[in-house]
Amino acid sequence: MTLFSKLALTTTALVASASLAQAQVADNSRLKTVLERGTLMCSGHNGSFLGFAEVDDTGNWKGVDIDLCRALSAGMFGTSEGHLEIVPISWAQRWPALQSGDIDVVIKVSGWTQSRDTELNLAYSTPYFIGAFQAMTRTELGATTLADLDGGSICVGAGTSTERATATYLQAHDIDAELLTFENGDELRNAYYDGRCDAIVEWAPSLAAGRVDAPDGADNHTILPDVIALEAEGIIVPEGDADWLDVQNWMLSSLWFAELEGITSDNVDDIKANPPTETVAKFLGVTPGYGDRLGLSNDWAYNMIKEVGNFSEIYERNLGSKSPYKLDRGINALYNAGGVFYPFIID
């Protein structure tokens, strides 16, 4: 036997062994728990976080985070219908709810911080959104920067990285402003609208959405240019659960891959029937491998795209051109459209 033949056989054996190992889901993985239960319990919000988690007039959940919950459930069960429970929780309840098993995953625009990563036994997916913390104030105050709010008050969400980043920014820039904290997102915005504070700090997409919905009109509110901090938002699972974390990462990658390849909820059936490349065929489950390695069905990505669409579809209907907020995607676009996101390699 030639050296090349020996190497080829060794490589084939290693690949087969790796594939077998990857297909085995750990007994203590949250993935196995959810599959056996038949229902995904995903984080919601205890109010409205506009564009990400909100309830419409008919009582149905919508938003970017809600669609990611639906995508995850559809990928695991074929459809989210009857297999998804949105659990309303506050910002501060995220971690205890995850650790106790009241929810299976935190998809709640949660920032990746060192303390959460190292002290709370949490594991983060690759980020799916980059947000800038900024302040919005009433136009009549005449403030042009945060420094103009010296001696005033600022509303922030309790138990959030927003609160911590704002306190740090004020200290670093010697701005003496009182922070008023609120557990509920609606209470936070209403406190600002009612004049209980001079400004509200959230990340830019939420401010823009809140400005559009301001009861006294958008023109009466100004978003200040100061960037308090940039925050990478990821999906959070318990630390030490590699199988469950893999599913989160490949779910996000799948949504970006579909966008990059032009696969949408409208054309996914046609493309599955006649895939243009071997990679797309594997991605949509026409040929095996893409689900087996994760402990899921091979058509799991197809099921996600069929139900919620690719990442662009999710963004546009909840935050972008098809939403009331009309927010440009900017840095959150794919790399080929001026953003920072990209799918992983499918092999």
Side-chain angles (χ1 to χ4, degrees):
M1 181 179 292
T2 66
L3 177 60
F4 176 79
S5 298
K6 291 179 180 179
L7 288 173
L9 286 173
T10 301
T11 301
T12 300
L14 287 173
V15 170
S17 176
S19 297
L20 179 62
Q22 287 171 328
Q24 295 174 346
V25 178
D27 287 338
N28 63 347
S29 174
R30 194 72 63 99
L31 171 58
K32 186 171 185 178
T33 299
V34 175
L35 288 172
E36 291 179 348
R37 185 197 305 133
T39 302
L40 172 71
M41 296 187 297
C42 200
S43 55
H45 196 53
N46 63 337
S48 288
F49 199 62
L50 301 178
F52 290 90
E54 52 185 300
V55 180
D56 64 21
D57 294 337
T58 60
N60 296 313
W61 286 96
K62 63 179 182 177
V64 170
D65 288 345
I66 302 303
D67 275 349
L68 292 179
C69 288
R70 290 196 176 103
L72 180 58
S73 180
M76 298 176 70
F77 301 109
T79 175
S80 68
E81 185 69 29
H83 297 284
L84 174 63
E85 181 180 351
I86 302 296
V87 182
I89 55 174
S90 70
W91 297 112
Q93 290 173 318
R94 286 172 291 179
W95 325 132
L98 178 65
Q99 290 159 345
S100 68
D102 290 338
I103 58 175
D104 299 309
V105 60
V106 175
I107 306 180
K108 192 176 167 67
V109 282
S110 299
W112 195 338
T113 71
Q114 187 182 43
S115 63
R116 292 172 182 173
D117 198 0
T118 60
E119 297 173 9
L120 297 180
N121 296 320
L122 303 175
Y124 279 78
S125 74
T126 187
Y128 65 89
F129 201 89
I130 306 297
F133 293 142
Q134 291 177 253
M136 182 168 69
T137 185
R138 286 185 298 282
T139 305
E140 64 183 9
L141 295 180
T144 58
T145 71
L146 270 170
D148 294 329
L149 299 178
D150 191 84
S153 58
I154 299 173
C155 288
V156 294
T160 65
S161 51
T162 313
E163 179 185 2
R164 186 181 302 108
T166 303
T168 299
Y169 185 93
L170 296 178
Q171 182 181 24
H173 291 81
D174 198 26
I175 301 171
D176 182 18
E178 179 184 7
L179 292 184
L180 305 181
T181 61
F182 299 86
E183 287 279 352
N184 180 285
D186 291 335
E187 291 176 356
L188 170 64
R189 282 181 289 276
N190 289 334
Y192 166 71
Y193 293 140
D194 292 343
R196 294 176 59 186
C197 48
D198 299 308
I200 181 174
V201 171
E202 289 185 300
W203 59 334
S206 297
L207 289 181
R211 184 172 178 269
V212 169
D213 286 350
D216 55 347
D219 291 343
N220 289 307
H221 303 271
T222 300
I223 297 176
L224 301 178
D226 312 65
V227 175
I228 295 170
L230 285 176
E231 182 178 71
E233 317 293 339
I235 297 172
I236 301 174
V237 299
E239 196 166 53
D241 193 343
D243 294 327
W244 194 217
L245 183 59
D246 282 346
V247 171
Q248 314 309 318
N249 281 324
W250 283 99
M251 173 186 71
L252 295 174
S253 181
S254 296
L255 298 174
W256 292 322
F257 179 83
E259 179 183 355
L260 188 65
E261 294 292 326
I263 304 171
T264 70
S265 55
D266 289 333
N267 67 21
V268 66
D269 285 322
D270 292 336
I271 293 178
K272 185 178 182 181
N274 187 27
T277 66
E278 292 182 5
T279 300
V280 170
K282 176 174 283 189
F283 173 72
L284 294 176
V286 178
T287 56
Y290 196 57
D292 289 338
R293 295 166 172 171
L294 295 169
L296 301 175
S297 65
N298 283 318
D299 62 352
W300 74 285
Y302 162 82
N303 292 327
M304 289 195 301
I305 305 305
K306 183 66 177 177
E307 179 159 337
V308 303
N310 61 39
F311 204 97
S312 176
E313 291 178 88
I314 292 173
Y315 185 94
E316 293 304 326
R317 71 169 162 263
N318 292 299
L319 288 174
S321 60
K322 296 181 180 179
S323 78
Y325 313 123
K326 313 299 181 188
L327 295 177
D328 289 336
R329 199 163 162 193
I331 194 175
N332 290 292
L334 289 181
Y335 72 94
N336 61 348
V340 298
F341 292 106
Y342 57 90
F344 311 143
I345 297 294
I346 298 175
D347 57 9

